[in-house]
């Protein structure tokens, strides 16, 4: 009984009723006719233009069948969401188990068990229907003609794994749907190696652990060859990573710097007490404060294609998390005094844990009197790092003791201390504190001196505590944007982009209705730029979307924004580490479907604009290494290694 307020309203309404053959442009032009057309349309039903010539195209795209379907849908429209596929599985589930599914994933997994496939967003929407409707589906009458399908058990096969000319292993209990990773897991007890260290080869080509046997053409009795990572290589990699971490974290302010700054009642912390240097730092801080004030002093235009709107949205996201937002411009040499704040862009060694906005690094003195002692210390720390990676921290007495002492220093529950890594160069322990509140951060700044004393009391070999600068404020370099990547998506288009080693091409669905701001990511990674540019190059990575809302896998919007700087997204774990929940497996969760992310995982922030308050949604565009993608669903992928996900654009859209 009311006219659509804008193009999106009408497009969304048509999509609800499966009317997809009307373009955005057609709807937009139609609504531009104004009140005269609206009044006329109210008096008589809309009829499709059946002439052979129309403005902007040679053939009409609105068919009479479409209008008929539309009319029928409108007549029958109710609050209930109908979906025959989901309804059928819902009824089968109840008839088989005599209970209703507890959540979306239960119904999806049950569908898989009977060789049916359901989309997550459709199941989720269906289960939100009114309880009376759902009850009507499982009455005796409704279930009278529902049959529980008989599922034929897949034939098992065995694969021969050749370790040498004379040594081999038969791996049994596999199916054509098993993966190379499944074989590696079955090899673990025989080789006494973790599956991640086992490589399998076919015709001298390494097989991806996510590849299914059917995709590789492997049948019952076929052979593959074995390769295992050398343990020494793991230590070498650990030492190399340690060196990079030591150099990087060495830039961070220390707890003593924070204490000194608190005593001086300054907003910024500096490493040198020389007055001239302090004055220079003060000047730099004043310059970026003024630069930030100039950006934020005027209300945003509210136009998504104007960058001022994006900057206000970013500021709003930081404030929503209780943090201060500071903008600077390295191209104009307007930079923070703290080098860690201006040099924290795309550090690849942080890729395995993108939750760096809350990182602390505890350093204890480790004096080696001889080369043998140094080697022993390095080996011991390497073993500790493996305990961290395998989530066995409480099983290691040293790590368990450190965790207990840190909980006393920070005055938090033991469970909130999360050790995320160990590296050499003295003895360094990376850790985070789960769910740090703005009040706790402020208390940490004001009580830094007391914390410093506790550290000295509890740790005999205490040297320093480094604190990531993003803990106290969010700093964004204006020069990180690349205008060549800016784009407003006003058409619904799909493209084939990227291809994995099995020849599977990725489908890139453009985010209709969103505006993208490109990030300066070219020439930032080894191996050239073909992972992103030119578009549809054979080496392109898949395109996907990453939600940054609190409900999304991968942490808060501010944590995700920080990942633009450090090159790593937060890993979600099935065992609940990092306060995350991974449904399908450990990794970074993304989706090839922008509508799926928008519906449940995009952050929403309200800001003041020149035309009043407006709400905007926010998410990231990412490129994903094709061979690293695990396809859990049509709408859900997870990527085990965060370094294989690269953000290249920020998306905003007015709600």
């Amino acid at each position: 009984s009311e006219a659509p307020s804008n193009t999106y309203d009408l497009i969304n309404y048509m999509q609800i009723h499966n009317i997809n053959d009307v373009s955005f442009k057609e709807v937009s032009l139609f609504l531009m006719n104004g009140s005269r057309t609206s009044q006329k349309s109210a008096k008589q039903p809309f009829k499709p233009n059946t002439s052979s010539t129309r403005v902007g195209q040679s053939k009409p795209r609105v068919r009479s069948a479409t209008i008929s379907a539309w009319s029928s849908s409108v007549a029958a429209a109710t609050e209930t969401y109908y979906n025959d596929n989901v309804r059928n599985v819902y009824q089968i589930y109840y008839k088989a188990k005599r209970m209703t599914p507890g959540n979306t994933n239960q119904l999806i997994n049950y569908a898989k068990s009977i060789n049916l496939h359901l989309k997550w967003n459709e199941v989720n929407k269906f289960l939100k229907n009114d309880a009376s409707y759902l009850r009507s589906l499982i009455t005796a009458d409704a279930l009278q003609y529902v049959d529980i399908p008989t599922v034929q058990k897949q034939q098992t096969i065995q694969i021969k794994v050749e370790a040498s000319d004379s040594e081999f292993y038969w791996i049994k209990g596999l199916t054509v749907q098993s993966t190379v990773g499944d074989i590696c897991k079955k090899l673990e007890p025989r080789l006494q190696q973790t599956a991640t260290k086992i490589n399998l080869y076919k015709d001298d080509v390494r097989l991806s652990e996510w590849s299914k046997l059917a995709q590789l053409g492997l049948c019952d009795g076929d052979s593959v060859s074995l390769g295992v990572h050398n343990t020494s290589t793991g230590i070498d990699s650990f030492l190399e990573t340690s060196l990079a971490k030591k150099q990087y974290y060495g830039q961070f302010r220390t707890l003593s710097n924070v204490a000194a700054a608190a005593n001086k009642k300054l907003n910024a912390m500096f490493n040198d007490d020389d007055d001239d240097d302090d004055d220079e730092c003060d000047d730099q801080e004043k310059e970026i404060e003024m630069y930030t004030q100039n950006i934020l002093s005027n209300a945003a235009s509210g136009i998504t294609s104007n960058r001022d709107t994006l900057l206000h949205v970013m500021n709003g996201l930081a404030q929503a998390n209780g943090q201060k937002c500071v903008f600077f411009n390295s191209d104009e040499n307007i930079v923070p005094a703290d080098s860690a704040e201006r040099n924290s862009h795309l550090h690849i060694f942080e890729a395995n844990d993108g939750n760096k906005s809350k990182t602390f690094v505890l350093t204890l003195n480790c004096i080696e009197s001889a080369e043998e002692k140094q080697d022993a210390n390095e080996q011991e720390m390497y073993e500790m790092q493996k305990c961290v990676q395998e989530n066995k921290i409480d099983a290691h007495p040293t790590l368990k003791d450190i965790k207990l002492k840190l909980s006393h220093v920070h005055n938090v529950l033991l469970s909130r201390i999360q050790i995320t890594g160990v590296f050499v160069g003295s003895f360094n322990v990376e850790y985070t504190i789960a769910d740090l509140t703005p009040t706790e951060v402020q208390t940490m700044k004001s009580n830094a001196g007391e914390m410093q004393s506790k550290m000295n009391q509890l740790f005999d070999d205490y040297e320093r505590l480094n604190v990531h600068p993003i803990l106290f404020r969010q700093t964004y370099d204006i020069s990180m944007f690349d205008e060549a990547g800016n784009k407003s998506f006003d058409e619904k288009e799909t493209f084939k982009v990227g291809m994995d080693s099995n020849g599977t091409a990725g489908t890139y669905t453009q985010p209709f209705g969103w505006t993208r701001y490109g990030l300066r990511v070219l020439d930032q990674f080894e191996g050239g730029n073909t992972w992103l540019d030119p578009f549809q190059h054979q080496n392109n990575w898949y395109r996907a979307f990453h939600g940054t809302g609190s409900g999304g896998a991968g942490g808060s919007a501010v944590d995700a924004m920080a990942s633009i700087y450090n090159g790593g997204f937060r890993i979600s774990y099935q065992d609940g580490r990092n306060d995350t929940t991974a449904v399908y497996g450990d990794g970074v969760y993304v989706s090839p479907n922008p509508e799926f992310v928008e519906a449940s995982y995009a952050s929403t922030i309200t800001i003041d604009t020149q035309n009043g308050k407006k709400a905007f949604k926010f998410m990231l565009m990412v490129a994903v290494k094709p061979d690293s993608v695990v396809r859990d669903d049509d709408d859900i992928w997870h990527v085990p290694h965060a370094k294989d996900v690269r953000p290249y654009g920020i998306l905003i859209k007015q709600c």
Side-chain angles (χ1 to χ4, degrees), residues 506-558:
T507 299
Y508 164 43
T509 302
Q510 290 190 330
F512 172 69
W514 289 77
T515 297
R516 180 182 69 199
Y517 288 86
L519 298 174
R520 189 183 291 182
V521 293
L522 297 181
D523 301 322
Q524 296 285 349
F525 299 94
E526 294 182 3
N529 297 322
T530 53
W531 62 275
L532 181 66
D533 184 67
F535 184 61
Q536 291 187 303
H537 186 278
Q538 61 181 4
N539 294 335
N540 275 181
W541 287 14
Y542 291 160
R543 303 294 198 260
F545 304 87
H546 180 74
T548 59
S550 58
S556 71
V558 177

Side-chain angles (χ1 to χ4, degrees), residues 10 107 166 183 233 267 279 294 377 399 404 441 453 552 620 654:
L10 191 52
L107 194 58
S166 58
I183 299 178
T233 302
N267 292 325
D279 290 341
N294 288 338
N377 284 331
L399 293 175
L404 178 62
V441 172
S453 298
L620 301 177
Q654 185 176 341

Side-chain angles (χ1 to χ4, degrees), residues 90-275:
Y90 185 85
Q91 291 178 311
I92 294 171
Y93 183 100
Y94 183 84
K95 192 165 186 177
K97 296 179 176 288
R98 307 311 300 175
M99 59 185 294
T100 58
N103 54 50
T104 302
N105 290 319
Q106 281 187 7
L107 194 58
I108 288 176
N109 291 332
Y110 180 78
K112 290 179 180 178
S113 71
I114 57 176
N115 297 330
L116 296 175
H117 179 78
L118 299 177
K119 290 186 176 182
W120 190 94
N121 56 334
E122 293 180 350
V123 176
N124 186 51
K125 194 172 181 180
F126 181 87
L127 293 180
K128 290 180 179 178
N129 277 326
D130 186 74
S132 60
Y133 168 70
L134 294 177
R135 284 196 298 269
S136 71
L137 300 178
I138 54 177
T139 61
D141 290 339
L143 297 176
Q144 182 178 355
Y145 300 105
V146 174
D147 295 321
I148 301 174
T150 302
V151 181
Q152 293 184 345
K153 190 175 180 179
Q154 288 184 309
Q155 181 181 1
T156 59
I157 63 175
Q158 56 183 357
I159 297 294
K160 183 179 181 181
V161 179
E162 297 175 340
S164 65
D165 292 338
S166 58
E167 185 179 7
F168 58 86
Y169 306 92
W170 281 105
I171 306 301
K172 302 179 180 180
L174 302 170
T175 71
V176 292
Q177 296 302 313
S178 298
T179 65
V180 173
D182 294 331
I183 299 178
C184 293
K185 287 179 181 178
K186 289 178 178 289
L187 283 169
E188 280 185 337
R190 305 190 193 185
L191 301 177
Q192 294 189 354
Q193 289 278 3
T194 58
T196 56
K197 292 184 178 180
I198 301 173
N199 291 330
L200 299 181
Y201 296 83
K202 180 69 173 176
D203 299 327
D204 295 327
V205 177
R206 182 179 179 276
L207 305 179
S208 169
E209 62 183 304
W210 312 113
S211 299
K212 294 183 179 180
L213 304 188
Q215 295 173 327
L216 299 172
L218 291 172
C219 303
D220 187 39
D222 283 352
S223 301
V224 294
S225 56
L226 174 68
V228 180
H229 286 298
N230 191 293
T231 305
S232 62
T233 302
I235 295 178
D236 292 341
S237 176
F238 170 68
L239 295 177
E240 182 180 349
T241 302
S242 293
L243 178 61
K245 286 187 175 184
K246 184 179 180 181
Q247 292 174 343
Y248 178 64
Y249 287 129
Q251 305 174 79
F252 287 9
R253 64 193 61 171
T254 65
L255 187 59
S256 60
N257 300 146
V258 178
N263 291 334
K264 295 178 181 180
K265 296 182 179 180
L266 296 175
N267 292 325
M269 285 67 78
F270 313 113
N271 293 324
D272 198 323
D273 293 330
D274 183 85
D275 291 341

Side-chain angles (χ1 to χ4, degrees), residues 487-506:
K487 182 178 176 65
S488 293
F489 297 95
D490 54 8
E491 293 282 346
K492 262 196 170 182
E493 295 185 89
T494 59
F495 302 89
K496 292 297 181 182
V497 178
M499 185 174 295
D500 64 15
S501 56
N502 296 316
T504 303

Side-chain angles (χ1 to χ4, degrees), residues 291-292 295-296 307-308 310-312 314 325-332 334 475-483 518-520 565:
Y291 187 78
T292 302
I295 291 174
L296 300 177
R307 193 176 68 177
D308 71 309
L310 171 65
L311 299 183
H312 277 268
M314 293 167 65
C325 183
V326 174
F327 295 103
F328 64 97
N329 193 328
S330 58
D331 285 347
E332 299 178 10
I334 302 174
T475 54
Y476 298 121
D477 190 352
I478 296 297
S479 66
M480 76 177 180
F481 295 109
D482 183 355
E483 291 186 0
L519 298 174
R520 189 183 291 182
Y565 291 87

Side-chain angles (χ1 to χ4, degrees), residues 27-132:
V27 176
S28 179
L29 288 172
F30 179 84
L31 293 180
M32 286 173 63
N33 286 325
S35 58
R36 179 170 53 84
T37 303
S38 300
Q39 293 169 2
K40 183 178 179 181
S41 299
K43 296 177 181 177
Q44 58 186 23
F46 174 83
K47 296 181 180 180
N49 187 348
T50 56
S51 63
S52 59
T53 304
R54 298 178 64 191
V55 176
Q57 62 183 46
S58 59
K59 294 182 179 180
R61 294 185 63 185
V62 181
R63 310 279 198 271
S64 57
T66 298
I67 300 302
S68 176
W70 190 358
S71 301
S72 300
S73 298
V74 171
T78 68
E79 292 288 334
T80 304
Y81 170 71
Y82 298 102
N83 187 300
D84 291 340
N85 292 332
V86 181
R87 185 204 68 219
N88 290 338
V89 177
Y90 185 85
Q91 291 178 311
I92 294 171
Y93 183 100
Y94 183 84
K95 192 165 186 177
K97 296 179 176 288
R98 307 311 300 175
M99 59 185 294
T100 58
N103 54 50
T104 302
N105 290 319
Q106 281 187 7
L107 194 58
I108 288 176
N109 291 332
Y110 180 78
K112 290 179 180 178
S113 71
I114 57 176
N115 297 330
L116 296 175
H117 179 78
L118 299 177
K119 290 186 176 182
W120 190 94
N121 56 334
E122 293 180 350
V123 176
N124 186 51
K125 194 172 181 180
F126 181 87
L127 293 180
K128 290 180 179 178
N129 277 326
D130 186 74
S132 60

